[in-house]
Amino acid sequence: MKNTIFIASIIGALVLTSCNKDDNMDTTINVNYPAAYVVNGEDATVSVIKLSTNEVTATIPLMGTGTDMIMWPHHISSHENHLAIGVPGMDLSAGHSGLMTAGMTGKLLVIDAMTGAIVKNINLPLMNHNSIYSPNGTEIWVPQMDEMNSKVLVYDATTNALKNTINTGMMSAEVTFSSDGTKAYVANGDDDEVTVINVATKAIITTIAVGDNPVGAWTGSNGQMFVDNEDGQSISVLKVADNTIAQTIALGFMPGIASHNGTKSELWVSDPMAGKVHYWTYDTAMGMWMHGGAFNTGAGAHAISFTIDGNTAYVSNQTANTVSAVNVTNHTVTKTINVGKKPNGIVIKM
C-alpha cells in the first residue's frame, strides 16, 4: 500500500457560484454542430467548443445543490446524444499517488449533449474516476476507487438499473475498452496491475502486471492499449490479442494521459509538469514505438482528443485553464482557447 496523503481541495469548491438542477434544465443551448466537450473540474461546468471556429459557444453548468451537487467532475464519454461524466468529488489534477479515498463517494452523471440538460444523476457508494458507455451503448461502466475493495459497477444505460458488480483490484481508477469492443481494462493503481474483463460475460479474463501506479489503459486502434504509470513514469504497451506487454516506454516524467492517433500512427503522452505533449511514431522494422519529439501546450497538460480524421488534436491544460487546438501534421498549437477552471476530460462529437 502506498503512503497516503490527505487531499484538501473540496472546500474551496463550495464558494463557487452554483446553479441548481432546475436552473440547468432551463439553460437554453442547441449544440447541433460538431463540438468538443471539455469538463472543467473546479468550476463543475462543461465548455462546448465549436470545431469549425474553435470558439467556446456554450457553457453547461453542473454543480447543482443538496444531494444533486456535482463537485470536481473528471472524465467524460459519449454515446449518440448523451454524455456520461465521472464525478469523483475531489481534485485529481496533481495526480493519484498516495490517494486516500476512505469515506469519499462519487456520482454517475449523464447529460444531453445537445441541450445540456441533466438526464441522470446517480449517487455511488465510492468515488469514481470515470463513467463510460459500453461499446454498444447499452451499458455504462463505472469504476469504484477503494484502497482494498475496488470494483466496477455496470448500469443499464436506459433503465439505470445496476446489472453487474465486478470485483477488481486495489484503487481501481479508469475503466476503458479495446477498440474491437470485446475487452474492458481497469487500471488498479495500488496493485500495479490491469484487470482484463470480458465485456459480454463480465468475467475476469486475467490481470496483467504493469508499471508503478497505473491510472488508465488508453485505447489504441492498432490492437494495443497504452497504460500510463504515474509513479513508474512509463507507458506499458499491452497487446489486446494475447494480454501480454509488447513494450515499456520510459518517459522521464509523470504522464497525464496517453492517446493513440491511428490515422497518423502516433502515440501522444501529456507531460503536466512541463506543460508539454510528447509523441512517438511506430517503427515497423523494429516493432516498437520511437520518440519523435515534444511541443508546448499549456501548464498542466492533461487530456488529449483527436478529431476523426486525425488532423486536429485538443489538449486540456489544467493549470492554465485553457484548451490547445493542435495541428497534428506539424505538431504546432494553432489556437489557445480559454475555458473553465481546471479543465480535464475531453470528448469530441461530430
Side-chain angles (χ1 to χ4, degrees):
M1 178 72 67
K2 296 178 173 64
N3 293 329
T4 58
I5 61 172
F6 291 91
I7 298 179
S9 55
I10 299 175
I11 296 176
L14 295 176
V15 302
L16 292 174
T17 300
S18 66
C19 135
N20 62 35
K21 189 172 181 180
D22 290 335
D23 289 338
N24 184 69
M25 296 293 286
D26 292 338
T27 300
T28 302
I29 66 171
N30 182 24
V31 185
N32 58 357
Y33 43 82
Y37 294 81
V38 183
V39 180
N40 304 305
E42 186 171 337
D43 282 350
T45 62
V46 175
S47 295
V48 182
I49 299 173
K50 190 173 185 178
L51 299 189
S52 61
T53 62
N54 284 335
E55 299 285 345
V56 174
T57 52
T59 300
I60 302 170
L62 302 176
M63 184 169 284
T65 58
T67 59
D68 289 332
M69 181 173 285
I70 303 299
M71 298 179 65
W72 295 104
H74 197 52
H75 285 170
I76 184 171
S77 70
S78 68
H79 175 68
E80 295 180 346
N81 287 327
H82 286 158
L83 306 171
I85 302 173
V87 184
M90 66 166 60
D91 185 6
L92 299 175
S93 62
H96 303 70
S97 181
L99 188 65
M100 190 187 74
T101 63
M104 294 298 300
T105 60
K107 287 178 177 289
L108 160 59
L109 186 69
V110 176
I111 64 176
D112 187 298
M114 293 187 67
T115 67
I118 294 177
V119 177
K120 64 182 70 172
N121 183 349
I122 300 175
N123 293 317
L124 302 171
L126 302 171
M127 65 180 287
N128 56 320
H129 200 264
N130 72 320
S131 299
I132 185 170
Y133 280 97
S134 61
N136 63 9
T138 63
E139 299 170 339
I140 301 177
W141 290 45
V142 185
Q144 293 284 266
M145 301 178 72
D146 187 72
E147 289 91 341
M148 298 299 294
N149 300 304
S150 292
K151 55 184 67 71
V152 172
L153 306 179
V154 181
Y155 288 89
D156 186 291
T158 301
T159 67
N160 304 335
L162 179 62
K163 297 175 59 177
N164 299 90
T165 299
I166 307 166
N167 294 321
T168 52
M170 298 167 60
M171 197 60 74
S172 295
E174 197 88 3
V175 57
T176 53
F177 297 100
S178 57
S179 60
D180 65 5
T182 62
K183 296 178 179 179
Y185 295 80
V186 184
N188 305 310
D190 282 354
D191 282 337
D192 299 338
E193 293 179 339
V194 170
T195 299
V196 186
I197 303 169
N198 183 303
V199 172
T201 68
K202 311 301 188 287
I204 293 177
I205 299 171
T206 189
T207 56
I208 305 171
V210 291
D212 191 5
N213 194 14
V215 174
W218 306 102
T219 306
S221 60
N222 61 344
Q224 295 180 332
M225 303 292 290
F226 302 94
V227 183
D228 59 327
N229 306 302
E230 280 195 354
D231 294 347
Q233 298 191 357
S234 65
I235 301 293
S236 298
V237 183
L238 306 185
K239 294 170 63 178
V240 172
D242 60 9
N243 302 314
T244 61
I245 296 179
Q247 182 182 353
T248 299
I249 303 172
L251 300 176
F253 59 88
M254 183 190 79
I257 275 180
S259 187
H260 178 247
N261 186 331
T263 303
K264 302 294 185 180
S265 296
E266 289 187 348
L267 173 65
W268 288 24
V269 181
S270 54
D271 179 356
M273 297 303 292
K276 295 178 179 288
V277 171
H278 292 249
Y279 61 93
W280 283 256
T281 58
Y282 192 74
D283 188 315
T284 54
M286 298 183 65
M288 46 190 313
W289 291 94
M290 306 295 291
H291 190 258
F295 56 93
N296 296 322
T297 57
H302 183 57
I304 303 166
S305 188
F306 296 101
T307 53
I308 292 176
D309 60 12
N311 292 327
T312 304
Y314 291 86
V315 181
S316 61
N317 306 305
Q318 292 194 94
T319 310
N321 302 327
T322 61
V323 168
S324 299
V326 183
N327 181 309
V328 173
T329 301
N330 57 26
H331 303 105
T332 58
V333 174
T334 57
K335 188 170 185 179
T336 299
I337 307 164
N338 293 320
V339 289
K341 293 182 179 178
K342 291 201 173 177
N344 43 68
I346 302 177
V347 70
I348 292 175
K349 286 183 62 61
M350 303 302 291

